[in-house]
Each structure stands twice: as C-alpha cells, then as structure tokens.
C-alpha cells in the first residue's frame, strides 16, 4: 500500500544520494606523482597509470598524432603556452565524452 511505496521512495532517494556523493570524493593515489615536462608527457603518464584492462593493453594511443599538433598555430607563435592544444583536446574529451 501507501506505506510500502513510501519506504521504496525513501530507499530510492537514499541510493541516489549515496551514489552521487561518490563524485565528490578525491581519487586515491597509490604512489607519488612524478613531475614530467610537457603536456604530452602528462598524457603518456596518465595512460600508463591506467589500471583497467584497456589501459593495460593499449597504454598511450594517439594514432593520428593529435598530441603533437598545434591546432591554432598559437603555441609556435608564442601566444599560448606549450600544451594549450592538448589542454583544449582534453577539455573537449571530458565535456563531450
């Protein structure tokens, strides 16, 4: 009856709350991060640190060499810092999946 649906609703709200709270927890690191030079090195380090099955098999995968590109010519011109194109690509990947 009404009591059972109220209990189910309360349970559903609790599950949704607990599941969304995990997004606010900082990721744990198992080892100290190493300082690398350049945004491309950071990408390689992130790929090699990926512990899931796909990350272990593939590692760093950049078949079209996008990490070596200067899409807007602004890095070579000195108008943007080194790695700005990679930052733009990472932002787009996170935003659009």
């Amino acid at each position: 009856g009404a009591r059972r649906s109220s209990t189910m609703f309360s349970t559903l709200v609790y599950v949704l709350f607990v599941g969304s709270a995990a997004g606010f927890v900082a990721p744990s690191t198992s080892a100290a991060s190493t300082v690398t030079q350049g945004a491309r090195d950071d990408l390689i380090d992130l790929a090699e640190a990926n512990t899931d099955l796909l990350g272990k098999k593939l590692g760093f995968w950049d078949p079209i060499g996008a990490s070596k590109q200067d899409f807007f010519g602004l890095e070579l011109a000195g108008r943007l810092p080194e790695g700005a194109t990679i930052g733009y690509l990472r932002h787009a990947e996170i935003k659009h999946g």
Side-chain angles (χ1 to χ4, degrees), residues 31-85:
S33 60
T34 58
V35 178
T36 59
Q37 297 191 1
R40 186 170 192 279
D41 291 339
D42 290 342
L43 285 178
I44 294 170
D45 289 345
L46 282 171
E48 290 173 353
N50 190 355
T51 59
D52 67 3
L53 181 62
L54 188 59
K56 286 180 182 178
K57 297 245 184 225
L58 268 180
F60 180 68
W61 190 63
D62 184 15
I64 61 172
S67 64
K68 298 176 186 174
Q69 300 297 317
D70 182 4
F71 284 8
F72 310 108
L74 299 175
E75 290 178 49
L76 292 174
R79 295 179 57 199
L80 286 177
E82 178 186 348
T85 299

